[in-house]
Amino acid sequence: MQPTPKQAAEAIGINKSISRNVGDQLIRLVLFLAASVSVVTTIAVVYSLSAETISFFLDPAVSLWEFLTDRRWTPLFGESQRYFGISPLIIGTLNVTFVALVVGIPLGLGSAIYLSEFATARTRRTIMPLLEILAGIPTVVLGYFALFFVTPILRDIIPGLNLFNPISAGLVMGFMILPTISSISVDSMQAVPRAIREAAYGLGASRVEVVLKVVVPAALSGIVASFILAMSRAIGETMIVALAAGAKPTFTFDLRETIATMTSFIVQAAKGDQPAGSIGSRALYAVGSTLFLLTLMLNIASNQIVRRYAERYE
Amino acid sequence: MSVSILSDAERKRIEGKRRRGKAFVAVTAVPVVLALLLVATLFFDVITDTVSWQIVEPSQTTASWSFSEGFAWGNTWENVVTKELEARGEDPAAVLNNPEERRRFKLRNRVELLWSLNGQPLRYVVSNSRDDTVDNIGVFEGFNNQEALLANLRDGQELRLNPWLDFAFLSKNASRSPLMAGIGFAFIGSLWVIGLVILFSLPIGVGAAIYLEEYAPDNRFTRFIELNIRNLAGVPSIVYGILGLYAFVRLFNFEVTVISAALTLSLLILPVVIIASREAIKAVPPSLREASYGLGASKWQTVSRVVLPNAVAGITTGMILAVARAIGETAPLLVVGAAGFIPRAPSGPLSEYTVMPIQIYAWVGENDPEFANVASAGIVVLLTVLLVLFGAAFYLRRRFERSW
Amino acid sequence: MSQTVPENHVTVRTDPVAQEDALVAIDHLSLWYDQFQALRDVSLTVPKNQVTALIGASGCGKSTLLRSINRMNDLVPSVRVEGKIHYEGAELYDASVDAVEVRRRIGMVFQKPNPFPKTVYENVAFGPRLHGYKGNMDELVEKSLKGAALWDEVQDKLNQSGLGLSGGQQQRLCIARAMATEPDVILMDEPTSALDPIATDRIEQLIHEIKKDFTVIIVTHNMQQAGRVSDRTAFMHLGVLIEEGPTDQIFTNPQHEMTENYISGRFG
Ligand SMILES: Nc1ncnc2c1ncn2[C@@H]1O[C@H](COP(=O)(O)OP(=O)(O)OP(=O)(O)O)[C@@H](O)[C@H]1O
Ligand SMILES: [Mg+2]
């Protein structure tokens, strides 16, 4: 009788063994679960934020309209003086972010151009790790530096500057985001093909012209993406603001005033140990949701842009 | 010779262009210099802040004015304390041999290395927590006004140069008195938290990276996981604190313990660990995998015996950098309730904790200006730890940069 | 070069291999990468303890065919296979067969030497360790290195990195590594294309020597090499097996016009 294929395979020992099969599937499952942790984390983030945020808006003391339009934010105060308008926190965040970007974008882009186009390979290899160290300095240390070193100097220069102010915080934050802008921009400039540069050189362009008229425009989407990512970093940064910019929600565009950002409010509310379920605790989650949505949008935008330019040169 | 070819105007134009080009290069180099200058200034400022001039009066309750004597450099702690107690007219053996007395003595007194302008240049001094600091002056200010400061000293007062960062600082713990404050518990707390963070995030991060690089089918769910990781990497760290507060502190009821901090930080660095591990795994050449499969290795055998051993340097580098980030994180831990002052050293996953950045933050918030010096001493310790980690990461990266 | 092959081409076979000599029998095998068909109804019988050469122009599917034999193609997600490969009475593409076990019996040597970044010794011991080899490992390593004519050169470098060897030595190390798992068949995909003439010569000699213990299937671009090392030759074009037969027959008296053109260098 003709053996079945299975018997034939067994006869020479190349059949699938149950134990190996089970072992392989088990390993695959374990690894899959490890990879799924990130999905679970996302779900948990969204769930924890939204559950308490919904409770926040369901509270009779709060209305969405007030949240969006009122210019006062005092959720931790007594019942008679509580106001729930998030705009002071948004404005405060924007003040700091504005200063940070004004400092960080030119510095980041300039250093990226230098490192990618002008520096020797050796210089680049020395400086990049140093920039990484700058990026790796804990923000509580940067906050200390802003408060105890930068602020006193600025107060000598700028009249009427408060002890806690967005300028000092933003200035230091600008340096914090510099490595982000720089490294992503360097990557995207390095991705510009040699052939394009050589074509420009072949037409008699100088080094500077090649950089400004060929490389930077070709790498523009990556550069813009780095700005957006840096902006998201600045918005989400906490310790520098909490230490150097203060925690007094103020609806003002005067950069000398003490303000509060979304993040510094969260710290303040958390430190005050609001009991779970209280309106103060829920306000923390509501601000957290706003912060999360804002930074998520920026990150998605930045990723999208990066991905598009990555495809172009493949 | 070339003179004859170019007209004068032409040459000037080219000259100008070249000059402008050079200027442009210089301008782009400025930010790099500024960034490096900022790092240097920061380190300099923090380090100089760890030293201050102090005008000190002995506490009214302590009989002897011990530090006018001082003890020579090279004495052991026991030695210094024995002499100090003798000078105070107490029995050294009674204090040192009784554990309870010894503990109490340590809590109130600190042996430190000091320069005092009316004594020997460098010596040990036993300070008492009840000694009164009349004034605290920055290093440079103190240097410039030394004469005046000395002239204005009142009877019994002393002007000393106090380096806040000394060995006592490493073993002392949180205290209401800046002189007695140290980073001991916070350092132990950081070790506990980071130990657990590694325990959680290394296997999960590397496992996820292996799955995505070696196992995952190219389908929607895989792409969804990847998208998730990318987006999580950009979520502000404080949001992880909110998650930790909701899930670990309240829902799982871990409260304010080492484990809720460790879980929060693990989730925070997980995307970084995954991304770095994927890069390292991707860098292992496919030809090695083929060789392994060609020899009849199964997928897991190939991964565990060929891919991982060749990716281990890259994974370690990524892990070190991620851990460095976790060590310095403050905001999420503030949200999950970490406090600056704890009564006992953390001793396990379920004990109360503080960590170095939280401790520093608490010190910065203190009213007493001497705490700024204490905070800077803490910062120097924290930065030293981080620099060692960065150094290790850069060394590994250089050492194992391999071209296949 | 872009000569088309008629849809109904029947492989020309000279002196076909007798059933009882066959070790591997490829039976109406077709293979697709997504939509692209890389193998078209290929049937080829490979005799035991002989060297079979696969020749043909670049992109004709030689590597694809070779990698189908030990199911390395399973690692490419887009691959779809139809047809059968018989091996010692079993059918390699049957659902009950474990591809990993197949590769243990049908080993492979690649175009570019790819030793692991481990010691020479560990490279050779890798396969036996995988499969839980119980015997004396030192002896097996020595035997394999001798079998690959490498022992004399590396016997006092056993604990040095395999990457430190010359290209030709690395390739022989890879052959030794494949031999150490004691397979029946060794597949070689252009094993000498990255090597200099002297190293090539050594490997060719080696192939001659090992055929008493192993059945070898070798892909080569080099006509002279096919002529020197192989007993039988199969010529492929655009995924179709055009002609196969004893090497001297194929080279001196090709039956099909395309084979003749290829061998005489008129295309490819
Ligand atoms: N992984 C793959 N995915 C899609 N197409 C492939 C893949 N591998 C090979 N092909 C295609 O299949 C055809 C046969 O490829 P194969 O590598 O087998 O050719 P070859 O005869 O070995 O060529 P060469 O002599 O250049 O090595 C080619 O057209 C090739 O482009
Ligand atoms: Mg090929």
Side-chain angles (χ1 to χ4, degrees):
Chain A
M1 200 184 78
Q2 188 81 6
T4 66
K6 194 169 170 205
Q7 286 166 333
E10 276 163 6
I12 59 168
I14 58 171
N15 55 306
K16 284 184 179 151
S17 76
I18 292 178
S19 63
R20 154 149 334 144
N21 208 358
V22 170
D24 278 358
Q25 291 304 320
L26 212 64
I27 288 167
R28 172 183 280 272
L29 180 71
V30 168
L31 296 175
F32 174 77
L33 289 179
S36 307
V37 169
S38 65
V39 178
V40 176
T41 307
T42 307
I43 294 172
V45 167
V46 172
Y47 180 80
S48 62
L49 286 174
S50 54
E52 291 286 299
T53 303
I54 291 169
S55 313
F56 174 75
F57 285 114
L58 289 180
D59 194 294
V62 188
S63 75
L64 185 60
W65 180 248
E66 181 190 0
F67 186 73
L68 294 176
T69 58
D70 202 290
R71 293 184 170 195
R72 287 161 300 180
W73 177 257
T74 54
L76 307 180
F77 284 14
E79 211 162 316
S80 57
Q81 299 153 314
R82 270 198 314 234
Y83 297 99
F84 299 99
I86 196 165
S87 55
L89 296 185
I90 303 269
I91 298 296
T93 305
L94 288 183
N95 285 348
V96 182
T97 306
F98 171 75
V99 178
L101 292 179
V102 164
V103 175
I105 285 183
L107 292 186
L109 184 56
S111 58
I113 291 177
Y114 176 75
L115 290 172
S116 166
E117 305 299 318
F118 301 137
T120 61
R122 236 185 92 197
T123 315
R124 189 162 49 228
R125 273 168 67 96
T126 332
I127 290 180
M128 288 302 238
L130 290 174
L131 287 185
E132 270 181 78
I133 288 182
L134 172 57
I137 293 176
T139 51
V140 68
V141 176
L142 294 176
Y144 172 96
F145 182 68
L147 179 62
F148 288 124
F149 187 85
V150 179
T151 301
I153 295 177
L154 289 180
R155 265 153 70 94
D156 283 345
I157 304 171
I158 305 172
L161 186 66
N162 271 295
L163 176 60
F164 300 107
N165 65 79
I167 301 184
S168 170
L171 191 71
V172 173
M173 206 189 277
F175 280 92
M176 180 198 86
I177 59 176
L178 183 153
T180 305
I181 297 178
S182 184
S183 69
I184 296 178
S185 300
V186 165
D187 284 350
S188 63
M189 290 201 267
Q190 298 273 307
V192 175
R194 272 261 293 268
I196 298 186
R197 290 163 208 256
E198 277 167 3
Y201 281 123
L203 294 171
S206 71
R207 211 151 70 125
V208 172
E209 284 167 338
V210 169
V211 170
L212 288 182
K213 294 184 183 154
V214 178
V215 177
V216 169
L220 197 61
S221 47
I223 294 171
V224 170
S226 82
F227 294 167
I228 297 177
L229 190 66
M231 184 171 170
S232 149
R233 285 269 163 84
I235 290 175
E237 168 46 35
T238 308
M239 296 319 295
I240 301 177
V241 217
L243 284 172
K248 191 175 116 207
T250 318
F251 190 99
T252 177
F253 293 97
D254 184 346
L255 294 177
R256 297 171 307 175
E257 292 289 326
T258 300
I259 42 103
T261 63
M262 292 186 273
T263 53
S264 73
F265 168 75
I266 294 173
V267 167
Q268 190 193 16
K271 275 205 310 179
D273 232 352
Q274 307 298 319
S278 69
I279 190 87
S281 161
R282 286 180 175 154
L284 180 159
Y285 286 91
V287 175
S289 300
T290 315
L291 175 67
F292 175 70
L293 284 180
L294 201 60
T295 51
L296 183 69
M297 273 171 356
L298 290 172
N299 292 339
I300 289 176
S302 156
N303 272 331
Q304 214 62 28
I305 296 174
V306 167
R307 236 166 342 133
R308 199 165 306 153
Y309 96 89
E311 275 159 23
R312 216 171 41 187
Y313 293 122
E314 238 152 45
Chain B
M1 282 167 278
S2 57
V3 184
S4 59
I5 301 172
L6 295 175
S7 72
D8 252 12
E10 191 84 339
R11 210 177 41 231
K12 233 184 215 152
R13 198 180 62 81
I14 292 178
E15 262 309 305
K17 200 169 162 184
R18 186 171 303 148
R19 237 195 341 262
R20 280 196 299 279
K22 279 216 179 107
F24 182 76
V25 173
V27 165
T28 61
V30 166
V32 176
V33 175
L34 279 182
L36 300 184
L37 214 60
L38 180 104
V39 175
T41 312
L42 187 147
F43 279 84
F44 182 76
D45 176 53
V46 169
I47 290 171
T48 51
D49 277 0
T50 63
V51 182
S52 73
W53 297 94
Q54 293 183 295
I55 298 171
V56 186
E57 261 171 19
S59 74
Q60 302 305 314
T61 51
T62 320
S64 85
W65 187 207
S66 54
F67 57 67
S68 58
E69 290 288 324
F71 307 97
W73 161 257
N75 268 307
T76 62
W77 186 86
E78 304 266 338
N79 230 331
V80 172
V81 172
T82 308
K83 286 187 195 158
E84 164 74 13
L85 287 171
E86 277 167 359
R88 287 186 194 174
E90 291 174 43
D91 177 15
V95 175
L96 290 178
N97 296 337
N98 179 338
E100 183 55 25
E101 286 291 318
R102 192 184 167 112
R103 196 182 66 80
R104 229 182 292 158
F105 179 83
K106 274 184 141 175
L107 226 47
R108 298 219 187 94
N109 297 277
R110 167 182 181 124
V111 177
E112 43 185 349
L113 208 51
L114 287 179
W115 286 265
S116 163
L117 292 181
N118 24 355
Q120 300 97 321
L122 177 68
R123 67 238 166 82
Y124 290 107
V125 156
V126 180
S127 317
N128 186 288
S129 61
R130 280 163 300 189
D131 290 348
D132 198 15
T133 307
V134 180
D135 206 352
N136 191 52
I137 303 148
V139 204
F140 300 111
E141 205 189 327
F143 264 124
N144 294 337
N145 304 330
Q146 229 177 72
E147 320 268 282
L149 287 171
L150 276 175
N152 290 339
L153 283 186
R154 267 178 283 135
D155 211 26
Q157 289 185 338
E158 172 161 333
L159 178 66
R160 5 146 124 174
L161 185 62
N162 186 3
W164 292 88
L165 180 62
D166 52 18
F167 285 108
F169 180 76
L170 299 178
S171 56
K172 290 279 175 188
N173 307 304
S175 165
R176 293 283 159 208
S177 150
L179 207 58
M180 293 297 121
I183 203 156
F185 287 174
F187 192 88
I188 297 171
S190 279
L191 285 183
W192 267 108
V193 171
I194 293 307
L196 289 184
V197 165
I198 295 174
L199 203 67
F200 297 139
S201 63
L202 184 66
I204 296 181
V206 175
I210 294 173
Y211 179 77
L212 291 173
E213 284 301 318
E214 305 284 331
Y215 283 83
D218 184 20
N219 62 19
R220 266 203 199 161
F221 192 68
T222 304
R223 281 194 294 275
F224 179 62
I225 293 178
E226 289 177 331
L227 182 75
N228 257 296
I229 292 170
R230 260 204 310 278
N231 285 331
L232 282 177
V235 170
S237 60
I238 197 165
V239 171
Y240 285 93
I242 298 178
L243 167 65
L245 176 67
Y246 186 89
F248 306 133
V249 178
R250 291 183 182 164
L251 196 65
F252 295 173
N253 220 355
F254 288 143
E255 301 187 330
V256 183
T257 54
V258 167
I259 190 143
S260 39
L263 287 169
T264 305
L265 290 182
S266 298
L267 293 185
L268 170 71
I269 66 166
L270 205 52
V272 185
V273 176
I274 296 174
I275 292 170
S277 304
R278 285 187 74 175
E279 289 303 319
I281 289 172
K282 223 181 270 178
V284 176
S287 68
L288 293 186
R289 292 185 184 78
E290 289 212 311
S292 171
Y293 287 125
L295 291 167
S298 67
K299 188 151 223 165
W300 176 246
Q301 285 172 325
T302 301
V303 168
S304 61
R305 297 184 193 207
V306 175
V307 177
L308 284 184
N310 285 296
V312 88
I315 292 175
T316 312
T317 309
M319 194 65 207
I320 291 176
L321 292 176
V323 160
R325 174 163 177 211
I327 290 179
E329 272 297 346
T330 321
L333 296 186
L334 282 177
V335 179
V336 295
F341 297 97
I342 54 164
R344 269 174 301 279
S347 57
L350 289 175
S351 53
E352 225 182 319
Y353 71 98
T354 188
V355 291
M356 288 191 280
I358 293 287
Q359 183 74 75
I360 293 165
Y361 175 75
W363 283 331
V364 173
E366 288 283 331
N367 285 325
D368 192 335
E370 288 178 277
F371 269 113
N373 299 116
V374 177
S376 72
I379 289 176
V380 171
V381 174
L382 177 62
L383 288 181
T384 307
V385 172
L386 294 182
L387 284 180
V388 168
L389 289 176
F390 286 139
F394 293 141
Y395 170 78
L396 270 179
R397 203 187 284 170
R398 285 271 154 98
R399 172 88 173 55
F400 289 94
E401 242 171 19
R402 228 192 314 227
S403 46
W404 298 90
Chain C
M1 143 93 225
S2 52
Q3 272 177 304
T4 50
V5 184
E7 198 61 44
N8 54 357
H9 174 83
V10 179
T11 305
V12 182
R13 297 179 199 277
T14 317
D15 203 357
V17 178
Q19 187 79 53
E20 59 271 22
D21 295 336
L23 180 63
V24 176
I26 300 163
D27 185 4
H28 296 287
L29 191 76
S30 293
L31 184 146
W32 289 261
Y33 294 109
D34 278 325
Q35 302 301 312
F36 175 74
Q37 186 169 7
L39 295 180
R40 296 173 183 270
D41 199 23
V42 173
S43 295
L44 176 69
T45 306
V46 177
K48 202 168 174 147
N49 289 50
Q50 289 193 19
V51 177
T52 304
L54 299 178
I55 61 171
S58 189
C60 70
K62 306 179 295 291
S63 298
T64 302
L65 181 60
L66 197 72
R67 293 162 66 91
S68 320
I69 298 174
N70 70 343
R71 292 190 54 177
M72 285 295 274
N73 279 332
D74 288 22
L75 302 172
V76 182
S78 63
V79 161
R80 184 166 62 84
V81 177
E82 272 177 21
K84 292 178 172 167
I85 297 182
H86 301 287
Y87 167 75
E88 300 215 329
E91 203 281 283
L92 296 185
Y93 279 88
D94 189 76
S96 67
V97 168
D98 186 354
V100 170
E101 291 295 335
V102 172
R103 292 184 207 128
R104 194 176 149 183
R105 286 163 179 75
I106 306 180
M108 187 149 196
V109 175
F110 299 84
Q111 183 167 357
K112 265 174 63 190
N114 55 357
F116 297 121
K118 302 176 181 233
T119 64
V120 171
Y121 184 98
E122 286 303 319
N123 261 285
V124 181
F126 184 88
R129 290 232 160 97
L130 279 183
H131 308 124
Y133 179 72
K134 292 285 186 320
N136 185 328
M137 188 65 80
D138 291 354
E139 274 172 22
L140 179 64
V141 169
E142 181 175 341
K143 183 180 136 203
S144 308
L145 285 169
K146 279 182 174 154
L150 189 61
W151 176 253
D152 293 341
E153 288 154 74
V154 300
Q155 58 175 318
D156 39 48
K157 294 190 199 164
L158 290 180
N159 289 320
Q160 291 177 21
S161 169
L163 292 172
L165 302 180
S166 75
Q169 288 174 329
Q170 286 189 13
Q171 193 62 304
R172 274 179 284 147
L173 177 61
C174 292
I175 294 174
R177 183 175 68 184
M179 285 162 63
T181 60
E182 304 186 317
D184 298 330
V185 184
I186 298 183
L187 310 173
M188 298 187 177
D189 194 348
E190 304 185 43
T192 63
S193 67
L195 304 181
D196 64 64
I198 295 174
T200 300
D201 195 46
R202 303 269 333 238
I203 302 238
E204 284 180 6
Q205 278 175 24
L206 180 61
I207 293 171
H208 250 303
E209 284 158 25
I210 64 176
K211 77 177 181 192
K212 61 181 189 300
D213 299 316
F214 304 96
T215 301
V216 177
I217 307 175
I218 179 172
V219 168
T220 176
H221 262 130
N222 179 328
M223 288 310 105
Q224 285 76 25
Q225 181 168 75
R228 283 192 298 264
V229 301
S230 70
D231 302 298
R232 294 182 69 86
T233 296
F235 169 67
M236 296 178 67
H237 187 60
L238 296 181
V240 178
L241 180 58
I242 303 294
E243 179 169 358
E244 60 111 352
T247 297
D248 46 1
Q249 286 287 320
I250 296 278
F251 276 79
T252 54
N253 188 15
Q255 302 296 302
H256 197 279
E257 191 196 343
M258 281 188 198
T259 318
E260 186 175 357
N261 287 347
Y262 183 73
I263 285 170
S264 56
R266 244 166 280 167
F267 72 93

